[in-house]
Structures are given as C-alpha cells and as structure tokens.
Amino acid sequence: MNDTDQAGGHRIEHDSMGEVRVPAHAKWRAQTQRAVENFPVSGQRLERAHIEALALIKAAAARVNAELGVIDGDRAEAIASAAAEVAEGRWDEHFPVDVFQTGSGTSSNMNTNEVIATLATERLPEGREVHPNDHVNASQSSNDVFPSSIHIAATGAVTRDLIPALEHLAASLERKSAEFASVVKSGRTHLMDATPVTLGQEFGGYAAQVAYGVERLRSALPRLAELPLGGTAVGTGINTPAGFSAAVIAEVARTTGLPLTEARDHFEAQGARDALVETSGQLRTIAVSLTKISNDLRWMASGPRTGLAEINLPDLQPGSSIMPGKVNPVIPEAVLMVAAQVTGNDTTVAVAGAAGNFELNVMLPVMAKNLLESVRLLANASRLLADRTVDGITANAERAREYAESSPSVVTPLNKYIGYEEAAKVAKRSLAERRTIREVVLDSGYVERGDLTVAQLDEALDVLRMTRP
C-alpha cells in the first residue's frame, strides 16, 4: 500500500517497520528502499543472470502455489507474467540494491518480490493487490530462494556460456596443432634449451588443458545444480505445502532446460555453499591453464628481433604511444588479467564459503557476484583468445628449426653411442666454440674410432625425428 507525494517526486510506502519515501517511478517498495539507503557501498548490483534466476523461481513458485491451493489462480498468473518480464531484463533498472548487503540476500529477494508484486498488481482489476510476502514469496524464504538463484544462474552460465566458449577455444588450438604438426622447434625446460618438440605438440597440449577444464566443470555440475528450494528458513521446509519443493524445482528445470535437482540434504544445501566453492575452484584451474597458454604465446611471439619470434600473433593495434611500429600481444595480456581476476574471485568465494554458521551462510551475495563474474569473464576471454589470436597465429618454421638444431640438448640421442659424459663434453665445446653438435662430433674423432657412423650421426641429429622417438 502507498500514498503518493507527487510534488516531491516520491510516494510513501509502508512495511512492518513503518513508512518509507520511495521514488515515484520505482516499481520497488519499502524494503528495497531501506536496502538502497542502508548499503551505499560499491554501486555494483546483481549480475543480470542472477536477477533472471530470481524471477524464474518466483514464476515457478507462483504456478506451483496455485496448483497446491496456496494462492488463487489469477494472482499466480499475474505473478508469473510479471516475473517473465523481469527474467527477460525489462525491469533491471528497478533492481538497485548493492551486492554488499545483508548476507542472506534478503534485500535482493525482497527487491524481486516487490517489483513483481507491483507489476502483477497492475495486471489485476482495481482493488485487488499482490503482496510481496504473502503472494510472491509464498512457500518461500530468502534463505532457500537466494542460494537457489545463485545455483540456477551459475549452472546456466557454465553450461550455456563457459563450456561452449572453452570448447570453441580447444577446437581453435587443435586446428593449430594439426597445422603445426611438422614445425620442429627447441623444447624448453626451466626456460633453458631442451630436446626438440613440434609446435603442434605444444598446441595439442594447450588444447588438452582447455578440454580438461571442460571435464572439470562437467564433474562439478551435478552438485552445482542441486537446489535448496523448499527448505525455507532453516532447511525444514516450514510453511511449505507437501510436494512444493519437488514441484517448483521441476518447473524451474522445465522452463530453463537445465539439469536442476532437489538437494539430497536440505540442511547441507542451506547451511553450506560447498558446491559454489568447488565450482569456483574449477574456474580458478581454468584461469591457471589460460595463464600458462597466454604466457607461452607471448614468449614464443616475443621480438620481432630480440625475442624468440617462433610464431607471429595477429597485429591488432598500435602498441606504443611513443615507439612507432611497435605491436604488442594485447589479447593474451587481457586474458592474463582475466585469469588474475578469476583467481582473486576464487579467494573471495573460498573465504565466503567458510563463513557458513549453523543453518545459513551469510556471504551469499558476494559469492554470487564473484562466481558469476568469473564465469562471464572466462567465457568472453576464451572466445576472444580463439578468434582474435589463436586462429591467426602463423609459425616462423625456419627460425624454430634453427633454434632446435642449434640447441646443445640435441646431443642427447648420442648418449647411446658415446656415453653421457662424452656427450656433455661435446655440448660444452659446441657452446664454447659456437659450432654445431655435428661439427664438434666429426672433429672429435668419434667416427674414426668407430663409436658411430656418419649415417648414425645424421639419424641421431634429425631434430624432427627426435620429436617422435
């Protein structure tokens, strides 16, 4: 209920604590306004996917409540219709509550209840009202709705955005692995010369890292997709009709197409957020993989004259405001920053996940923010890395082979002919005299003494053959 104060551009709303002045245009009501005034912290609001998930729960709950006789059909239809508009993003400007709010997410749950109640009331005949608590929030509590909304949003983002993006990147890397199958180069361990590999083998390793990231995410999905809906305040399901929990989860699963299931244990599902911590850990692992890949690409493309210059990255933009002609590896650098952010987000999620006390974790909004941001950033960065960098990489095959052939580590296959210590002498002499391994071997009398033949020497020093022993 409200009284309008048009002159001041506000209206007066009432809740259990008294009167609150709310902007006249706002679809929210008193409790949302209190939260806006209480939490002017960051200016960051819930992620779009999170608002959508809250609205999807409200629509599903309204339909199930009508079927179970908790609310009447007209109100349920009005709620479901209004919630559908919220889910579509038509009313996002009416979700002003800061992420850093009450730890249960009650303020955002009530924000959702109030906006939907206002929109639903506008759909009913004059004199009939939809109440935020009695109707939109019927059979629910912030304590089961808000964590459920995080799991729904995260499950959707992982399955629809991140996994396809990672598969896209893995496919891009696999294509380059095939293209570079015969490009031989020096291997490197400890950043020092090692026995040869092919550029294709390296890119195949990168593709596998990304593919294993997808496997890790899929392994976490069954637990991420478990919902505490129906547990209400503490997991007991107080104030819910029989069958509500299973029915509302089935309805959300039907409308989203996501593999959502009811929590196997509602007390675990409300008192702890371990599945979010687990998923965030998988996101951190993917970030670590992207860090390794991006750094390798930067190293291999370093130069063009004083670096390795084994590969060329696409030229995307000028790299300096003062040095003409300079071009930098901008996409790998952006991916590295995303990976750093995701790693920091994971720390936040882990610390927040450890803050569950008894029947409720009270760090839910910040867990949601960091987890959903990590998914979004990784999905965007993965596609960007594939489309704007990996697809356009070319190899400097001659330079890469020159490195491989000049590496002292190519002496390794000679161990079986002249022994490890003699081979080490050859390697050291090669470095000191800046001569090839072949030249030093021929000059050292090993062939004359019968330790090996010239044919065996040539076969042993075939750098491409070394990559396929």
Side-chain angles (χ1 to χ4, degrees), residues 2 13 22 27 75 108-109 112 114 154 187 252 256 258 295 309 321 325 379 381 427:
N2 67 80
E13 289 282 354
V22 176
K27 298 298 182 183
R75 281 195 174 94
S108 284
N109 182 46
T112 307
E114 290 179 347
V252 177
T256 61
L258 297 173
N295 273 329
S321 62

Side-chain angles (χ1 to χ4, degrees), residues 231-260:
T232 61
V234 294
T236 59
I238 190 170
N239 280 7
T240 60
F244 175 83
S245 183
V248 75
I249 291 170
E251 176 65 11
V252 177
R254 182 190 69 79
T255 57
T256 61
L258 297 173
L260 305 171

Side-chain angles (χ1 to χ4, degrees), residues 41 46 53 65 93 208 211 220 293 335 337 384 429:
V41 180
L46 297 190
N65 276 324
E93 65 182 292
I293 294 166
V335 174
M337 287 188 279
L384 196 63
R429 184 178 169 189

Side-chain angles (χ1 to χ4, degrees), residues 114-446:
E114 290 179 347
V115 170
I116 291 174
T118 298
L119 296 172
T121 298
E122 293 170 357
R123 287 162 164 76
L124 294 176
E126 188 173 353
R128 297 198 68 201
E129 183 184 4
V130 173
H131 192 278
N133 299 81
D134 296 338
H135 303 129
V136 184
N137 201 62
S139 309
Q140 304 154 64
S141 164
S142 299
N143 295 356
D144 66 337
V145 167
F146 198 80
S148 294
S149 68
I150 305 172
H151 285 252
I152 293 167
T155 300
V158 166
T159 57
R160 294 171 180 165
D161 299 329
L162 182 52
I163 287 178
L166 292 172
E167 290 174 336
H168 181 71
L169 175 57
S172 176
L173 291 164
E174 286 165 0
R175 288 192 297 271
K176 287 299 170 180
S177 177
E179 180 182 339
F180 299 148
S182 298
V183 179
V184 66
K185 55 166 287 183
S186 177
R188 295 183 181 90
T189 57
H190 304 269
L191 288 181
M192 307 300 286
D193 297 344
T195 53
V197 297
T198 67
L199 193 58
Q201 288 169 331
E202 287 185 328
F203 273 77
Y206 305 150
Q209 279 188 279
V210 177
Y212 296 161
V214 173
E215 289 182 11
R216 292 182 176 99
L217 286 173
R218 291 194 191 281
S219 72
L221 272 176
R223 291 169 294 283
L224 180 63
E226 283 192 27
L227 306 184
L229 266 178
T232 61
V234 294
T236 59
I238 190 170
N239 280 7
T240 60
F244 175 83
S245 183
V248 75
I249 291 170
E251 176 65 11
V252 177
R254 182 190 69 79
T255 57
T256 61
L258 297 173
L260 305 171
T261 59
E262 182 176 353
R264 288 166 287 175
D265 187 299
H266 276 271
F267 298 98
E268 183 278 338
Q270 278 186 224
R273 298 267 61 81
D274 292 351
L276 299 185
V277 175
E278 177 188 11
T279 303
S280 181
Q282 307 293 28
L283 299 178
R284 181 197 60 215
T285 303
I286 292 167
V288 168
S289 296
L290 294 182
T291 298
K292 192 266 197 266
I293 294 166
S294 296
N295 273 329
D296 277 8
L297 295 179
R298 293 169 66 226
W299 274 108
M300 286 190 286
S302 61
R305 295 293 177 85
T306 61
L308 297 178
E310 293 176 330
I311 63 173
N312 304 303
L313 304 184
D315 290 349
L316 298 179
Q317 63 187 55
S320 173
S321 62
I322 189 173
M323 292 176 282
K326 194 174 191 296
V327 179
N328 298 328
V330 292
I331 299 300
E333 289 173 354
V335 174
L336 287 169
M337 287 188 279
V338 164
Q341 183 66 57
V342 170
T343 301
N345 287 353
D346 177 62
T347 299
T348 299
V349 172
V351 171
N357 304 117
F358 301 108
E359 278 66 62
L360 185 67
N361 181 293
V362 290
M363 302 277 271
L364 298 177
V366 78
M367 294 185 80
K369 172 195 177 296
N370 283 273
L371 184 68
L372 294 174
E373 179 183 71
S374 290
V375 173
R376 175 167 49 82
L377 291 177
L378 286 172
N380 292 342
S382 296
R383 289 193 178 276
L384 196 63
L385 184 60
D387 296 342
R388 302 286 288 172
T389 294
V390 175
D391 284 350
I393 291 174
T394 58
N396 293 324
E398 291 184 7
R399 182 156 185 164
R401 175 177 278 273
E402 179 184 346
Y403 286 150
E405 291 177 342
S406 64
S407 167
S409 292
V410 300
V411 77
T412 301
L414 298 180
N415 288 356
K416 64 181 179 180
Y417 297 110
I418 64 176
Y420 180 92
E421 290 190 12
E422 287 297 313
K425 292 177 183 178
V426 170
K428 291 177 180 179
R429 184 178 169 189
S430 170
L431 282 173
E433 298 177 6
R434 300 181 68 85
R435 300 168 69 192
T436 68
I437 295 294
R438 189 177 190 279
E439 290 171 340
V440 173
V441 170
L442 291 174
D443 190 50
S444 299
Y446 296 110

